[in-house]
């Protein structure tokens, strides 16, 4: 099958076989990338118009018990600056964000034992009481099903948990032995069953990755059918064993964004900070390839550089208002507009 036929099948049938995905990933030409991009953009506009949803990112702890080999805040990195926001600081971020128009707050942090179920449930329920028209998204790693249930019952709406790679051998080369892909996947299925709008995702260009592995990632997304999917290029961190590895390809990341859009037309698909880090117009390019979410940073400016998952992260010195104003102008320059509603996932429906 020719690549153009695979692209047309993705557009009309929203599916593909592994061998076809491998072929597309490995051999797609620049002209075919543009055809794929236009189809993905058309699909996104069909379902969401020219709207881009904003999520206010609050990075509330750089303390983590895990030791993922690629991560700058891994437990064994003695050079990492550790901090933890308290409830009042988190609520202050929400207050500033609400005034700027944010209606989703994303609480993201390392696997920090201080944030027990009771502590988190108190924070979540307070946010929901103060801002009942807002969604709360969590991105805090692997927890028990019982923990996820408590967080959901306290008012959390969404949960982001990147699976990172759907290939077991690859997963083991990126993580310490006490972590397993089996458990990571089970967490994702638990989250979906409980009722969270659930997000998976993976790094593009991580060490040892192959087109075959990326095809497995796409097939896992197809099987899991998450409401959200976060992908971005791998970017090395100077204090990890992968410090000398090269960054992931923006071209390949954009191709995969477009493929995911066609596989799952309704999916909420971020154009990530990592994209903007490796390319000055990376986030705009992501939107033109089918993405429809951006996540400006609401964290206190003095801590942003300390939440260092990878090197050279952008927007570490900007205040939230500066960041959103800049991003709004950038989005407008490509014919899109940032909207301030919650931007929930919808099973079906198209923009009139």
């Amino acid at each position: 099958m020719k690549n153009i036929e695979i692209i047309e099948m993705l557009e009309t049938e929203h599916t593909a076989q592994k061998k076809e995905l491998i072929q597309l990933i490995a051999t797609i030409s620049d002209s075919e990338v543009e055809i794929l991009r236009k189809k993905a953009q058309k699909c996104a506009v069909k379902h969401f118009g020219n709207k881009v949803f904003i999520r206010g990112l609050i990075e509330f702890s750089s303390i983590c018990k895990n030791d993922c080999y690629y991560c700058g805040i891994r437990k064994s990195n003695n050079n990492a600056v550790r901090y933890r926001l308290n409830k009042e600081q988190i609520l202050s971020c929400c207050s500033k964000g609400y005034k700027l128009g944010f209606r989703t707050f994303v609480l993201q942090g390392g696997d920090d034992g201080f944030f027990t179920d009771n502590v988190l449930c108190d924070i979540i329920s307070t946010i929901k009481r103060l801002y009942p028209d807002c969604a709360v998204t969590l991105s805090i790693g692997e927890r028990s099903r019982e923990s996820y249930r408590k967080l959901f019952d306290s008012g959390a709406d969404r949960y982001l948990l990147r699976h990172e790679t759907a290939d077991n051998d690859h997963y083991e080369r990126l993580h310490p032995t006490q972590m397993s892909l089996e458990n990571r996947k089970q967490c994702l299925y638990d989250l979906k069953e409980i009722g969270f709008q659930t997000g998976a995702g993976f790094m593009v260009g991580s060490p040892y990755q192959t087109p075959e592995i990326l095809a497995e990632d796409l097939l896992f997304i197809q099987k899991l059918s998450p409401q959200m999917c976060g992908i971005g290029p791998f970017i090395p961190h100077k204090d990890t064993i992968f410090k000398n590895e090269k960054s992931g390809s923006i071209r390949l990341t954009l191709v995969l964004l477009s493929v995911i859009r066609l596989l799952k037309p309704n999916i909420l698909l971020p154009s990530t900070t990592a994209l903007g880090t490796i390319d000055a117009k990376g986030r705009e390019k992501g939107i033109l390839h089918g993405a429809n979410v951006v996540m400006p940073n609401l964290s206190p400016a003095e801590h942003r550089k300390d939440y260092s998952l990878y090197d050279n992260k952008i927007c570490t010195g900007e205040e939230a208002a500066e960041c959103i104003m800049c991003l709004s102008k950038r989005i407008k320059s490509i014919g899109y507009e940032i909207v301030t509603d919650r931007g929930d996932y919808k099973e079906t429906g198209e923009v009139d």
Side-chain angles (χ1 to χ4, degrees), residues 85-92 115 119 122-123 126 129:
L85 302 186
N86 59 34
K87 179 182 177 182
E88 289 68 32
Q89 289 172 303
I90 293 171
L91 292 176
S92 176
F115 289 97
V119 171
D122 176 53
I123 292 170
T126 303
R129 176 174 55 81

Short mmCIF file of all heavy atoms in Angstrom, two decimals, residues 85-92 115 119 122-123 126 129:
data_model
loop_
_atom_site.label_atom_id
_atom_site.label_comp_id
_atom_site.label_asym_id
_atom_site.label_seq_id
_atom_site.Cartn_x
_atom_site.Cartn_y
_atom_site.Cartn_z
N LEU A 85 4.75 23.35 46.56
CA LEU A 85 3.78 24.40 46.84
C LEU A 85 2.79 23.91 47.89
O LEU A 85 2.38 22.75 47.87
CB LEU A 85 3.02 24.80 45.57
CG LEU A 85 3.82 25.29 44.36
CD1 LEU A 85 2.86 25.77 43.27
CD2 LEU A 85 4.80 26.39 44.74
N ASN A 86 2.41 24.81 48.79
CA ASN A 86 1.36 24.44 49.75
C ASN A 86 -0.01 24.78 49.17
O ASN A 86 -0.14 25.34 48.07
CB ASN A 86 1.59 25.13 51.10
CG ASN A 86 1.60 26.65 51.00
OD1 ASN A 86 0.89 27.24 50.17
ND2 ASN A 86 2.40 27.30 51.85
N LYS A 87 -1.04 24.44 49.91
CA LYS A 87 -2.41 24.64 49.43
C LYS A 87 -2.67 26.09 49.08
O LYS A 87 -3.26 26.40 48.02
CB LYS A 87 -3.40 24.16 50.49
CG LYS A 87 -4.86 24.35 50.11
CD LYS A 87 -5.79 23.91 51.23
CE LYS A 87 -7.25 24.17 50.88
NZ LYS A 87 -8.16 23.78 51.98
N GLU A 88 -2.23 27.00 49.92
CA GLU A 88 -2.49 28.43 49.69
C GLU A 88 -1.80 28.90 48.41
O GLU A 88 -2.36 29.70 47.64
CB GLU A 88 -2.02 29.25 50.89
CG GLU A 88 -2.87 29.10 52.14
CD GLU A 88 -2.77 27.72 52.78
OE1 GLU A 88 -1.68 27.08 52.68
OE2 GLU A 88 -3.78 27.26 53.34
N GLN A 89 -0.60 28.41 48.16
CA GLN A 89 0.11 28.80 46.93
C GLN A 89 -0.59 28.25 45.69
O GLN A 89 -0.69 28.94 44.67
CB GLN A 89 1.56 28.30 46.98
CG GLN A 89 2.44 29.04 47.98
CD GLN A 89 3.81 28.38 48.12
OE1 GLN A 89 3.91 27.19 48.44
NE2 GLN A 89 4.86 29.16 47.88
N ILE A 90 -1.07 27.02 45.77
CA ILE A 90 -1.80 26.43 44.65
C ILE A 90 -3.08 27.21 44.39
O ILE A 90 -3.41 27.54 43.24
CB ILE A 90 -2.11 24.94 44.93
CG1 ILE A 90 -0.81 24.13 44.96
CG2 ILE A 90 -3.08 24.38 43.89
CD1 ILE A 90 -0.98 22.70 45.43
N LEU A 91 -3.79 27.56 45.45
CA LEU A 91 -5.03 28.33 45.29
C LEU A 91 -4.75 29.72 44.73
O LEU A 91 -5.56 30.27 43.97
CB LEU A 91 -5.77 28.43 46.62
CG LEU A 91 -6.35 27.12 47.16
CD1 LEU A 91 -6.97 27.34 48.54
CD2 LEU A 91 -7.38 26.55 46.19
N SER A 92 -3.62 30.30 45.10
CA SER A 92 -3.24 31.60 44.54
C SER A 92 -3.02 31.51 43.04
O SER A 92 -3.42 32.41 42.28
CB SER A 92 -1.97 32.11 45.24
OG SER A 92 -1.52 33.33 44.66
N PHE A 115 1.89 14.44 49.30
CA PHE A 115 0.53 14.66 48.78
C PHE A 115 -0.26 13.35 48.83
O PHE A 115 -0.43 12.64 47.84
CB PHE A 115 0.59 15.24 47.37
CG PHE A 115 1.07 16.66 47.35
CD1 PHE A 115 2.40 16.96 47.09
CD2 PHE A 115 0.21 17.70 47.65
CE1 PHE A 115 2.85 18.27 47.10
CE2 PHE A 115 0.66 19.02 47.66
CZ PHE A 115 1.98 19.31 47.40
N VAL A 119 -4.64 14.99 51.56
CA VAL A 119 -4.13 16.32 51.22
C VAL A 119 -4.64 16.74 49.84
O VAL A 119 -5.13 17.87 49.65
CB VAL A 119 -2.58 16.33 51.24
CG1 VAL A 119 -2.04 17.64 50.68
CG2 VAL A 119 -2.09 16.13 52.68
N ASP A 122 -8.48 17.43 49.68
CA ASP A 122 -8.80 18.74 50.26
C ASP A 122 -8.52 19.86 49.26
O ASP A 122 -9.34 20.78 49.10
CB ASP A 122 -7.98 18.95 51.55
CG ASP A 122 -8.19 20.32 52.15
OD1 ASP A 122 -9.34 20.71 52.39
OD2 ASP A 122 -7.18 21.02 52.37
N ILE A 123 -7.39 19.79 48.59
CA ILE A 123 -7.04 20.82 47.60
C ILE A 123 -8.03 20.81 46.44
O ILE A 123 -8.55 21.85 46.02
CB ILE A 123 -5.60 20.60 47.08
CG1 ILE A 123 -4.59 20.86 48.20
CG2 ILE A 123 -5.31 21.50 45.88
CD1 ILE A 123 -3.17 20.43 47.87
N THR A 126 -11.52 22.04 47.38
CA THR A 126 -11.52 23.49 47.60
C THR A 126 -11.53 24.24 46.26
O THR A 126 -12.26 25.22 46.09
CB THR A 126 -10.30 23.92 48.43
OG1 THR A 126 -10.31 23.22 49.68
CG2 THR A 126 -10.33 25.42 48.71
N ARG A 129 -14.96 24.02 44.83
CA ARG A 129 -15.91 24.86 45.56
C ARG A 129 -15.75 26.33 45.17
O ARG A 129 -16.73 27.05 44.98
CB ARG A 129 -15.73 24.68 47.07
CG ARG A 129 -16.62 25.59 47.92
CD ARG A 129 -16.50 25.26 49.39
NE ARG A 129 -15.11 25.30 49.86
CZ ARG A 129 -14.46 26.42 50.19
NH1 ARG A 129 -15.05 27.60 50.06
NH2 ARG A 129 -13.22 26.36 50.64
#
